[in-house]
Amino acid sequence: REATLPAMNEFELIEHYFRGWRGSHPDLILGQGDDCLIWHPRRATVMSIDTAVEGRHFPAQSSGAQAAQRAFLPALSDLAAMGAEPAFFTLALTLPGPMDDAWLDAFARRLSELSEHYGLVLAGGDTTSGPCRVISLQMHGLVDAPLRRDGVQPDDDLWVSGFPGRAAAALPSVLNPAQASAPVDWVAAYWSPEPRIELGQRLVGLASAAIDVSDGLAADCGHLARASGLNLLIETSMLPQAPSFQGYPEDQVGSWILSGGDDYELAFTAAPGQRDAITALAAMLNLPLTRIGRAQTGDGQVLIRHNGEAHTLSKTGFQHF
Ligand code: ADP
Ligand code: MG
């Protein structure tokens, strides 16, 4: 592979694939086309950048559409975790030569569909050549009172959305489609995780802290615990089990749920007085919200209670990867 972009030059490429997408935002004074975009927000802006590298964050044989999903959806999930309303994003794209028009066309189409669906404007970016595909997305959202990691209070309940663990369960078949097969809901959890944007926004005022689960439920709860200077106790008997996990060994399922990343569900804490409101929210969103434990005084640990005994994660035998 040569490190050039033949056929179209950089400007033609941007013009062809990344201009003229639908969408606008009242606070975006100037989008693509100048040296900088101009953003004049009326509320606080949260921003997050995420990079997806070919062969690392998405398999090298991914289609353009699959790569777009694996780059965009996890990046957007950070806005959900802060309770923000999506506003705009920028795209820094590195592509190897020779240019693969079909791949880039599928990538740009899917990215434009996703950004339209979630209500974000593509407001700028950068395009370069390089040794492999690298997709960096900076997401920008609006929120008056962001959900932070450091807000957990003693005796808060710990909650999680959806059925975490399925993206991790899908991994063997994602990496080796010829040799392994997986239920469709696992494969969907990997290739098109659903950023919990509406949940995040509705948790503002209800939740005391939140994080999106990218590295694994236990590990990410560890970030909440450390940031807040408290312990979080997870009860394995309370963990939500995807119906498609039925029939798999308990240890395997526990490992998927507690240690598997890539689902982008939200883990959050809330005062016990919010239980009814959160249950009503679950019904309204048609999304399971499950109480899985609680906060207690401590020094920033996650404790897993399994069969009546509390351990740190490494001692439960759930950490297989
Ligand atoms: P500069 O050289 O001043 O950094 P560029 O040549 O990188 O400008 O980009 C020209 C314009 O095209 C800028 O407004 C930039 O935001 C936009 N742009 C470049 N690459 C992309 C992309 N992949 N997606 C969207 N906009 C892009
Ligand atoms: Mg540039």
Side-chain angles (χ1 to χ4, degrees), residues 10-11 14 18-19 31-36 91-93 122-127:
E10 178 190 333
F11 303 104
I14 296 163
F18 299 109
R19 285 276 155 80
Q32 289 179 56
D34 212 313
D35 294 304
C36 291
L91 163 68
L93 187 60
L122 176 60
D126 192 28
T127 306

